[in-house]
Each structure stands twice: as structure tokens, then as C-alpha cells.
Amino acid sequence: GTADLAGGDLTLKSGTSTGLGSSAIHFFTASAGLTGTADNAPTEKVTILNNGNVGIGTTAPGYPLDVSNSTAAGTLGYALRLRNSLENNTGITGMAFGLFNGSPVKGGIIYKGLSGGWFRGDIQFLQNSTGDGTSASLTDVVMTIANSGNVGIGETAPGGKLSVLGGMAIGSTTAYSQAAVTSGNLIIQGNVGIGEVAPGSKLSVSGGGSFGSGYDTTAAPTGGLIIEGNVGIGTTSPGSILALGG
């Protein structure tokens, strides 16, 4: 046969409208019933409106893609499923985000399979912050929700319920929440409680405390404090075990 012969196109077109009139395309299918029962009348499943909005499960889509399912309250129901066609436990599927046609993909959300098998995976959020035409890649992960439930910010393998790689600021005002934090540091505006759910001071400890590289593994008396080095009260340069400033 002839090389590079293009196949025919399939065109679906609604009727011509005039004036303020418009047209749409409607897809109807009939659901399966029981043998010997009455005929099942086809119902509308997909709608394409005159503005290009596509509705699946809805006849009045308000967005470019509007998907609706019918799930009873308290019942798990997915309106959209994304899959990788390869049966591979380490496969990746997800969604990409761009601002206009032809723009690079600067952000995305992916489900990344684990090598352990049984189709488990981590959810990762990608953000490419480079001001050029490059797209987000697997090296641009900014947050990970691990299959274990652990959350990592700047960390792809969080070992705790919340693992942060970098600095962190917590506060009720933007002066704290937007403060630039040195990597590895933590800024907290309010009180901190250790073993205490209602801290009354900047640092409230219910129990004992131990300070110093030689005392850090030593259990302090309940309500007591063990300090390896010099202690200064009212002075920033204590020269003895206990130094009092004037």
C-alpha cells in the first residue's frame, strides 16, 4: 500500500445555530438491567456544551472538565482515576500544571510507585522554581506524603510524622510565618511545651531536663535540671559553675 497514508478523521458536529441560539453534543447510553425486565432507557452520560465545557455525569458542566459521580454519603467514591498503563510497581502517574498553551510544566502532583510491590506508592508535589523554560522533574520534589503516612517537606524519605529538610517558622503573624529561617533552625512565636499541653512560658517542661554533651543521655530528677557547663543568671559570660550578674 501507499506509505504514510493518513487515516480518515471522525468529526462530531452539532447543528448550526443562529442569533442567540447555541448547540451542544450529548452522548447517551443505557445501563445494564436484569434479564426479563423492562427496557432500560438510555440516559445522558457525557455532554459537550457550546462553550466547550465537557461534563461527565453532569449535563451542565461549569468548567472545561466537570466530572460528577453518584456516591452515597460516607461511601468512598472516586470521580477520577489516573493510572500508568505499564504493570510496573515503580511506575509513575500524575497531573501536570502550566499557565498557558505551550508553557513548560512548572508544577505537578505525582503518585510514585515503590519497589516493594503491591502497587503502593508515595504522593509527591513538584515545583520548578527556575525562571526559564525548563519543566518540573523528579528532582523538583518540594513535599512528599509517604505511603506510611509520614510527611516530608523538602524531604523525599520522611522518617517521622513530619520531617523538614531546611528551616521552619511557626507563628500567628506574618512577621514569624514569613521570616527567613536559616536551614536547620526553628522559629516559634508562641510558647513551647515539652510533656505539657498548656505551656505557660516560652518553654515549659513537665519533667526533668539535661543539658550538655556529657549529660544528654542522663535522666534528670523529676522537675530537676542537670547542666554540664557553667550557668549564668543575669550575665552572658559565666566564669564559674554558677555566676550571678548585678
Side-chain angles (χ1 to χ4, degrees):
T2 305
D4 301 328
L5 179 64
D9 296 333
L10 173 63
T11 301
L12 297 176
K13 183 170 67 174
S14 60
T16 302
S17 61
T18 60
L20 297 177
S22 62
S23 60
I25 299 177
H26 308 271
F27 297 84
F28 287 73
T29 61
S31 301
L34 299 176
T35 302
T37 59
D39 294 339
N40 296 312
T43 57
E44 191 166 353
K45 301 299 192 300
V46 179
T47 303
I48 304 177
L49 297 183
N50 64 296
N51 59 7
N53 288 354
V54 177
I56 301 176
T58 175
T59 59
Y63 302 92
L65 178 60
D66 199 338
V67 181
S68 176
N69 63 348
S70 299
T71 304
T75 302
L76 179 62
Y78 298 106
L80 181 65
R81 181 181 183 183
L82 303 178
R83 293 191 290 180
N84 188 321
S85 61
L86 298 177
E87 293 187 14
N88 188 334
N89 284 316
T90 57
I92 298 175
T93 186
M95 300 174 59
F97 300 97
L99 294 181
F100 59 91
N101 292 338
S103 69
V105 174
K106 286 296 185 179
I109 303 175
I110 63 172
Y111 188 76
K112 183 180 180 182
L114 300 174
S115 59
W118 291 108
F119 317 109
R120 297 169 298 158
D122 297 338
I123 297 175
Q124 294 185 328
F125 296 79
L126 313 180
Q127 287 280 19
N128 182 313
S129 60
T130 306
D132 57 21
T134 59
S135 293
S137 68
L138 293 179
T139 61
D140 295 314
V141 177
V142 294
M143 186 171 75
T144 298
I145 303 177
N147 183 258
S148 62
N150 291 347
V151 177
I153 299 177
E155 173 58 58
T156 58
K161 290 300 181 183
L162 177 61
S163 299
V164 179
L165 180 61
M168 186 173 179
I170 302 174
S172 58
T173 63
T174 56
Y176 282 84
S177 63
Q178 297 180 5
V181 185
T182 302
S183 181
N185 288 355
L186 173 64
I187 297 175
I188 300 177
Q189 181 178 8
N191 295 343
V192 177
I194 300 177
E196 173 57 57
V197 297
S201 304
K202 288 300 182 181
L203 178 60
S204 298
V205 180
S206 179
S210 56
F211 293 85
S213 60
Y215 289 175
D216 56 342
T217 60
T218 302
T222 301
L225 184 64
I226 300 175
I227 301 176
E228 183 177 7
N230 295 344
V231 177
I233 300 177
T235 176
T236 59
S237 55
S240 58
I241 294 298
L242 178 61
L244 303 178

